[in-house]
Amino acid sequence: MKGAKGKGAVKDKKEALKPVDDRRVGKRKADDKGSKKPTKKEKAAIKDPNKPKRPPSAFFVFLEEFRKIFKQENPHVKAVSAVGKAGGEKWKSMSNAEKAPYEAKAAKRKAEYEKLMNAYNKKQESTADDDEDEGSDRSKSEVNDEDEDSEEDDEDEDDD
C-alpha cells in the first residue's frame, strides 16, 4: 500500500497551493476587467440616418402581402413567429412562376435603391471634399465662432 498514489496525495498538493500558484493551475481572477476587448457594438460606427434603407428581398415582398391575408384568415393569431412560419412554408411550396411577380417587385426596388445609394454616395463624397478644403479638424461651429469674432473686431476698429 506504500506505492499507492491516490487521492490523499492530491489533497496535500491542493492544500499547499497558494493564491499566487492558482494562476499557474489555470484559475483566473474575476476582477480582470481592464483587459476586456471591445464588443461589436462598441466597434460599430454610428449609422447615418440619411442613408437609404436596403430593399427587401423577394421573400419579404411576398411576406408583406401574405401578412395581410394571414391576419384576415386567422385574426386570433397574434404571434409574429406564427405568421413568419406560415409564410415560410407557403414560400417554399410556391413554384418559380408563382414567385416571379415578387422577384420582379424586389428587382424594381433594388434598382431604386441603387439610384438612391449613388446619389447618397455622391453627396457623401462632396461633403468629404468640403471638409478637406477646410484643412483642419475643427468643427464647423468652431470655425463659425472665429468668423463672428473677426467680424466683431472689424466693427470695433471702425468705431475708432
Side-chain angles (χ1 to χ4, degrees):
M1 289 301 232
K2 280 185 182 180
K5 293 181 182 177
K7 296 176 185 172
V10 174
K11 283 183 183 177
D12 292 338
K13 285 182 183 176
K14 284 185 181 176
E15 290 172 0
L17 286 178
K18 296 178 183 176
V20 176
D21 295 336
D22 283 349
R23 282 187 235 131
R24 291 184 196 143
V25 175
K27 295 181 181 177
R28 295 185 210 151
K29 283 190 171 182
D31 60 348
D32 280 342
K33 293 180 182 175
S35 63
K36 193 167 87 172
K37 292 182 182 178
T39 61
K40 287 183 181 179
K41 287 183 182 178
E42 292 171 356
K43 287 182 184 178
I46 299 171
K47 293 184 180 178
D48 186 2
N50 298 327
K51 187 175 180 179
K53 243 179 127 176
R54 290 187 67 195
S57 66
F59 173 69
F60 283 101
V61 174
F62 160 75
L63 262 186
E64 290 172 2
E65 293 179 15
F66 180 79
R67 271 190 206 97
K68 295 173 188 171
I69 297 167
F70 186 82
K71 286 191 177 189
Q72 287 174 354
E73 293 174 359
N74 305 303
H76 62 282
V77 177
K78 302 287 184 188
V80 175
S81 59
V83 178
K85 285 179 184 177
E89 290 171 10
K90 172 89 171 157
W91 181 257
K92 286 179 186 175
S93 67
M94 290 171 70
S95 67
N96 287 340
E98 292 172 321
K99 292 180 184 180
Y102 302 109
E103 290 170 351
K105 287 179 186 177
K108 184 179 176 185
R109 288 188 184 182
K110 186 174 183 180
E112 291 172 5
Y113 168 76
E114 288 172 353
K115 288 179 188 174
L116 291 171
M117 277 304 292
N118 286 336
Y120 172 79
N121 288 334
K122 286 178 184 174
K123 185 178 177 185
Q124 291 297 104
E125 288 173 5
S126 66
T127 57
D129 292 342
D130 293 345
D131 291 343
E132 289 173 8
D133 292 343
E134 231 171 73
S136 68
D137 293 335
R138 294 181 296 182
S139 68
K140 289 182 180 178
S141 62
E142 289 175 339
V143 172
N144 290 340
D145 290 343
E146 268 187 19
D147 293 342
E148 291 171 4
D149 291 341
S150 64
E151 288 174 6
E152 290 172 4
D153 293 340
D154 292 342
E155 290 173 7
D156 291 341
E157 291 173 4
D158 292 340
D159 292 340
D160 290 336

